[in-house]
Amino acid sequence: MLELTILIPLLTGGFAMFLPARLGRGLLVVTALLHLQLTVMAWMGKIVPSFPQYFVVTNEGMLILLVTSFVFLFISLYAVSYMKETEITSEPIYHGCTLFFLATMTMVTMADHLIVLWIAIEATTLMSAPLIFLHRSKTALEATWKYVMICSVGIALALLGCFFVVLAMDLGNVHAPITFSSLRTIATDLDPLWLKAGFIFLVIGYGTKMGLAPMHTWLPDAHSEAPSPASALLSGALLNCAFLGVYRAHQLLYQAGLGDFSSKILVGFGLLSMLIAAIFIFNQTGYKRMLAYSSIENMGIIAFGIGIGGLATYGAMLHLIHHSLIKSSLFLSAGNVLLGYGSKLVDKTGNMAKLFPKTFTAFFAGFAGISGFPPFGIFVSEVLIIIGAFQQGKNISVTIFIFALILIFAGASRLVTRMCFSPCENPDILVEENWARTLPSFALLAASLALCIWLPDSLYQTILSAIATIGGSING
């Protein structure tokens, strides 16, 4: 029963709300292990949906579920030590909401019905909002309020997009279940005008949650104010789930013969997101906000690659995997920095290389990875996207793409260099680093390195099958 991957974190989340903090941490890790085991079983085809009218196993959904479950395990291991050092009075709420958050993200990856997908994405907002407000400060309240309001407006527009797709069915005299798998088989019968309108609203609605510019304004505040394990989940897992909504809408238009229309929109949103990130990353004073703008950039890269098509779609899927691994690692390292210096401001840090050697190694390696340096996988994914864009003759678009990458590297490297090597004004260390809070970061980076060197054939075939539905392939 595939739905167990939803039900188990949902039930354990309810229990965690009433357990002492120590037991709650253990339950978090146990649930993460069980969830990963069930996810692998689903990937191997050993468990299937019990409600096929609502849920389905797709290659793209399974890919994102695997990434989510893997990242969640290491974030949970990190959280055990992190929570011991933080002053959070409501730790059971963290455990409960984190598990609820996992359940809703899992539901997104398996949803086949348009409205079930919409409900699941809205539920991720409701389950993650308490995580952002966990420190109960004024800035956390403002970030939570902005997150809920902007994402709710976005999700309302996505609902309107669903209605337009249904209207396209009605005008095309199509009678079929309102599921993506059914609609793709009769996509050419749908009314093209209302299908295009539906896609625009879906991409704006789910793109808001994905962090695409100009609907991204909630993201820097939310990622900055949430506790670092929650920030890692928001960036490494939630954004992928929102991307899945956009991807499935793009699949529908491709099957309807309207792929050029949706591709151009994705390329436009992708480049705009990268340029916005490039402009704003220069003026950031907080390192968590810097990482948040990097997430906006990387969501833009993925949208751009999917929109370009061909070889670039393979690069985009690789980018999704490696971004989740590396960015989660960076946010976990940022948690160590916050514990050590007691501030999110870059100017209040410094000399990490000497004061926090283990965290420095993970953070600097993560920065190199997210900037696209070899041997990390983002180097490969970005090269594939650039080659794919040239193959498609998108010379102007790829020039803007490369220009934005350079700008972002220049802006972020200035801040990272300041943190790692400049003298620290206040060298008093509040909390010393330890292996329990650094090993998960190293493990996530190691996973990215390993996948860059050796991609298992089963994972490779899953990616190829996922991108084949929008005409993507490694042959351009």
Side-chain angles (χ1 to χ4, degrees):
M1 182 180 180
L2 183 64
E3 288 79 0
L4 282 175
T5 52
I6 302 172
L7 292 175
I8 288 176
L10 202 62
L11 292 173
T12 54
F15 284 123
M17 285 283 191
F18 303 100
L19 288 177
R22 187 174 178 180
L23 289 176
R25 293 172 201 151
L27 186 61
L28 192 66
V29 174
V30 170
T31 306
L33 284 167
L34 192 55
H35 187 272
L36 183 58
Q37 182 183 354
L38 288 171
T39 299
V40 172
M41 289 172 65
W43 186 36
M44 297 170 67
K46 294 187 175 180
I47 52 176
V48 295
S50 297
F51 299 94
Q53 64 271 39
Y54 300 116
F55 301 110
V56 69
V57 176
T58 61
N59 291 293
E60 61 275 9
M62 191 49 61
L63 184 67
I64 291 177
L65 182 58
L66 277 169
V67 172
T68 300
S69 191
F70 186 80
V71 165
F72 187 88
L73 173 61
F74 287 97
I75 293 173
S76 300
L77 291 169
Y78 173 88
V80 171
S81 176
Y82 181 85
M83 285 297 169
K84 290 178 184 175
E85 303 292 348
T86 52
E87 296 178 358
I88 294 178
T89 56
S90 50
E91 190 175 330
I93 293 178
Y94 169 79
H95 297 144
C97 287
T98 300
L99 290 167
F100 291 153
F101 191 27
L102 176 64
T104 52
M105 288 191 292
T106 305
M107 188 174 170
V108 170
T109 62
M110 299 190 307
D112 190 29
H113 197 283
L114 266 70
I115 301 303
V116 172
L117 177 67
W118 182 86
I119 291 170
I121 292 182
E122 173 63 5
T124 60
T125 304
L126 300 177
M127 294 302 107
S128 54
L131 299 176
I132 300 169
F133 184 57
L134 215 57
H135 289 299
R136 302 191 176 184
S137 62
K138 286 184 179 178
T139 52
L141 177 62
E142 181 184 347
T144 308
W145 181 249
K146 188 185 286 187
Y147 173 59
V148 172
M149 287 300 295
I150 294 176
C151 288
S152 295
V153 171
I155 206 72
L157 293 175
L159 183 61
L160 197 56
C162 293
F163 290 156
F164 286 159
V165 172
V166 174
L167 185 58
M169 292 175 64
D170 189 48
L171 293 175
N173 199 26
V174 171
H175 301 284
I178 312 173
T179 60
F180 285 103
S181 54
S182 295
L183 289 175
R184 282 201 297 271
T185 61
I186 43 87
T188 52
D189 297 330
L190 301 174
D191 183 83
L193 179 63
W194 287 104
L195 191 56
K196 288 180 181 178
F199 177 80
I200 291 171
F201 279 87
L202 286 172
V203 79
I204 292 174
Y206 294 144
T208 301
K209 196 66 177 285
M210 183 180 164
L212 291 179
M215 301 85 71
H216 67 284
T217 50
W218 64 271
L219 195 150
D221 291 335
H223 287 209
S224 176
E225 291 302 324
S228 290
S231 302
L233 274 179
L234 288 171
S235 187
L238 175 65
L239 301 185
N240 293 344
C241 292
F243 160 74
L244 190 59
V246 174
Y247 189 80
R248 288 190 169 156
H250 180 51
Q251 283 177 321
L252 186 56
L253 261 75
Y254 179 82
Q255 296 296 332
L258 303 171
D260 287 344
F261 174 80
S262 54
S263 294
K264 287 176 182 173
I265 291 176
L266 290 176
V267 168
F269 274 119
L271 289 179
L272 181 62
S273 301
M274 293 179 70
L275 290 173
I276 291 288
I279 293 168
F280 282 91
I281 209 166
F282 265 95
N283 296 321
Q284 292 312 307
T285 56
Y287 50 87
K288 289 187 74 177
R289 289 181 69 87
M290 174 192 71
L291 296 178
Y293 275 101
S294 169
S295 296
I296 295 168
E297 172 216 358
N298 283 284
M299 289 300 109
I301 291 173
I302 294 169
F304 178 83
I306 295 297
I308 289 293
L311 179 64
T313 55
Y314 181 70
M317 284 298 183
L318 283 183
H319 199 90
L320 181 148
I321 296 169
H322 290 286
H323 170 255
S324 293
L325 296 171
I326 297 173
K327 187 55 65 62
S328 299
S329 170
L330 278 167
F331 269 114
L332 297 188
S333 296
N336 294 346
V337 177
L338 180 57
L339 288 175
Y341 293 102
S343 174
K344 299 171 191 167
L345 297 176
V346 172
D347 287 343
K348 299 292 183 184
T349 66
N351 207 11
M352 273 177 58
K354 181 179 180 182
L355 298 175
F356 299 98
K358 294 190 280 291
T359 300
F360 158 75
T361 305
F363 191 77
F364 201 77
F367 169 68
I370 209 72
S371 300
F373 284 93
F376 292 98
I378 283 184
F379 168 75
V380 177
S381 65
E382 289 181 349
V383 168
L384 290 174
I385 291 172
I386 290 170
I387 294 173
F390 278 123
Q391 286 178 340
Q392 301 289 330
K394 308 289 185 183
N395 297 338
I396 296 176
S397 296
V398 77
T399 303
I400 298 171
F401 179 87
I402 295 170
F403 177 67
L405 287 180
I406 294 170
L407 277 182
I408 290 164
F409 172 71
S413 60
R414 182 178 63 87
L415 301 176
V416 172
T417 303
R418 167 75 181 81
M419 292 173 67
C420 294
F421 303 112
S422 295
C424 179
E425 294 178 359
N426 181 18
D428 293 337
I429 304 303
L430 300 179
V431 179
E432 294 285 351
E433 63 180 0
N434 62 24
W435 282 112
R437 289 194 303 278
T438 48
L439 277 178
S441 297
F442 283 119
L444 290 166
L445 291 174
S448 175
L449 277 171
L451 288 177
C452 186
I453 297 168
W454 176 68
L455 190 66
D457 186 62
S458 51
L459 186 58
Y460 174 68
Q461 294 300 331
T462 301
I463 296 172
L464 289 186
S465 300
I467 63 174
T469 56
I470 55 169
S473 77
I474 59 168
N475 299 316

